[in-house]
Amino acid sequence: MQKSILIIGACGQIGTELTLALRDKHGKENVIASDIREGSENLMDSGPFEVLDATDYDALEEIVAYYEISEVYLMAAMLSATAEKFPMRAWNLNMNSLFNVLNLGKEKKVDKIFWPSSIAVFGPNTPKEHTLQSTIMEPSTVYGISKQSGERWCEYYHHKFGVDVRSIRYPGLISWKTMPGGGTTDYAVEIYHKALSEGTYTCFLKEDTELPMMFMDDAIRATLQLMEVDKENVKVRASYNLAAMSFTPAQIAEQIKKHIKDFKISYKPDFRQAIADSWPSSIDDSKARTDWGWQARFDLENTTKEMLENLAP
Ligand code: AKB
């Protein structure tokens, strides 16, 4: 039977590409994009779209019933930098939207749920190198606290009510189709845009701040892979560590210089430095590799090539 899929937060950085990938795979009529606002033509014209506030359970339930949705991807969230400015708004959006979707699962109104977690679940006391799936967490940011709580609730709903919820702890994501917004890792996208348009970039993190990152194609492939694997292979119901590459602003600048010789970077760290300092510099994703065969394809070199080629005027 053809499944019907709902993406919440479809206009965001991950949501846009996920919607396009799912429409390619399952047919455009079967993938309903939704967001609090209308999005790019690319997204709106490629299949059904609904304006939806993810914190409104009744509105969500109505859309799920109308389209006979079986699978939900909840991509709406307030990210780390914005969440520090609006803690209560971030908590309300990030948690209430998750409860709404988990409760749809509990009521057996949907069969399967994807919810993104983040490397932000880790904190300053977490070992920084090759951070393990299970280790000290203690997140120190509003966003990280909401993601860690979310993970606990996912696991709880799975064990207590049998909800088939699956999740990935995304690292910073690098993409050219849609800009990120409100994150700490956003510099790794902005830098390519500025390199091409101005030949210079002022980075809001210090030159030696190493963070885990991933090219969007890998992130989308991982998401589809996790959602397709047999239930029995999904052994982690909180969220899976996932890794591809780690680099510093100085290292990404070096890669860009291989293509744009005169490119210049300067550094002006702001409040986002403290957020980045609380996160791991590299991630151990052996659990995802063992349980569902995860393997990244993009490193910094081919990511840089893809970004510059696709963003070039
Ligand atoms: C952010 O920087 O807030 C996000 C994330 C790592 O989850 N990109």
Side-chain angles (χ1 to χ4, degrees):
M1 206 182 84
Q2 185 58 58
K3 55 186 164 193
S4 187
I5 297 172
L6 175 67
I7 297 145
I8 303 171
C11 299
Q13 188 197 13
I14 314 175
T16 309
E17 298 206 29
L18 188 60
T19 304
L20 298 174
L22 286 167
R23 281 183 174 162
D24 260 0
K25 208 173 169 69
H26 299 284
K28 59 181 185 166
E29 289 311 317
N30 300 311
V31 179
I32 321 305
S34 74
D35 207 301
I36 192 100
R37 58 185 162 84
E38 295 192 342
S40 64
E41 275 169 32
N42 196 5
L43 189 89
M44 307 282 300
D45 295 348
S46 70
F49 183 90
E50 294 282 346
V51 171
L52 172 68
D53 173 357
T55 63
D56 181 345
Y57 184 78
D58 293 339
L60 174 61
E61 197 185 24
E62 205 175 300
I63 288 176
V64 164
Y66 180 77
Y67 289 100
E68 298 180 19
I69 299 293
S70 52
E71 225 170 80
V72 180
Y73 292 72
L74 170 57
M75 310 313 286
M78 194 182 287
L79 298 190
S80 57
T82 313
E84 289 305 301
K85 294 184 186 158
F86 307 106
M88 286 321 298
R89 268 169 57 190
W91 180 258
N92 289 336
L93 169 62
N94 295 0
M95 299 313 295
N96 292 342
S97 59
L98 176 60
F99 276 121
N100 284 348
V101 170
L102 288 175
N103 284 328
L104 285 174
K106 179 183 165 191
E107 303 294 329
K108 309 280 178 250
K109 291 182 172 149
V110 296
D111 301 332
K112 217 191 262 185
I113 294 166
F114 180 82
W115 173 78
S117 187
S118 160
I119 53 162
V121 292
F122 300 114
N125 297 326
T126 306
K128 278 209 174 300
E129 302 284 340
H130 306 294
T131 301
L132 297 173
Q133 175 70 42
S134 294
T135 181
I136 300 167
M137 299 184 90
E138 303 174 6
S140 57
T141 64
V142 173
Y143 174 65
I145 294 168
S146 76
K147 287 296 180 190
Q148 206 210 354
S149 311
E151 287 192 7
R152 298 289 89 230
W153 282 112
C154 287
E155 196 178 82
Y156 183 87
Y157 268 68
H158 176 73
H159 290 314
K160 192 96 181 170
F161 308 119
V163 174
D164 188 358
V165 54
R166 306 174 181 206
S167 176
I168 284 171
R169 289 174 182 153
Y170 290 123
L173 296 179
I174 305 174
S175 63
W176 53 269
K177 285 190 188 148
T178 309
M179 286 294 278
T184 302
T185 57
D186 295 8
Y187 92 85
V189 177
E190 288 170 11
I191 193 168
Y192 292 109
H193 286 263
K194 291 282 183 190
L196 286 162
S197 63
E198 294 171 23
T200 70
Y201 179 63
T202 305
C203 186
F204 56 75
L205 297 182
K206 288 192 219 153
E207 63 179 307
D208 58 353
T209 308
E210 188 181 20
L211 288 171
M213 300 276 183
M214 181 175 282
F215 189 51
M216 187 59 85
D217 291 28
D218 269 344
I220 299 294
R221 198 166 47 81
T223 308
L224 301 189
Q225 205 177 323
L226 174 61
M227 285 299 271
E228 273 162 20
V229 83
D230 287 347
K231 246 186 194 162
E232 300 66 44
N233 292 338
V234 186
K235 304 238 166 46
V236 175
R237 291 296 180 159
S239 190
Y240 276 98
N241 271 9
L242 206 67
M245 58 185 132
S246 285
F247 57 78
T248 65
Q251 286 166 334
I252 191 172
E254 274 317 302
Q255 276 299 328
I256 292 174
K257 277 184 202 162
K258 289 185 183 166
H259 303 262
I260 305 172
K261 289 201 173 34
D262 298 335
F263 175 64
K264 295 220 165 16
I265 185 165
S266 57
Y267 301 93
K268 203 171 166 218
D270 65 16
F271 72 100
R272 288 169 281 194
Q273 184 65 48
I275 302 176
D277 287 342
S278 77
W279 291 349
S281 50
S282 61
I283 297 288
D284 178 313
D285 63 358
S286 44
K287 196 82 184 109
R289 288 167 185 266
T290 314
D291 289 0
W292 42 278
W294 164 247
Q295 181 135 35
R297 289 185 187 155
F298 286 85
D299 59 13
L300 179 56
E301 201 175 330
N302 47 22
T303 296
T304 300
K305 205 164 158 283
E306 289 284 323
M307 288 298 285
L308 294 175
E309 270 173 23
N310 284 292
L311 290 174

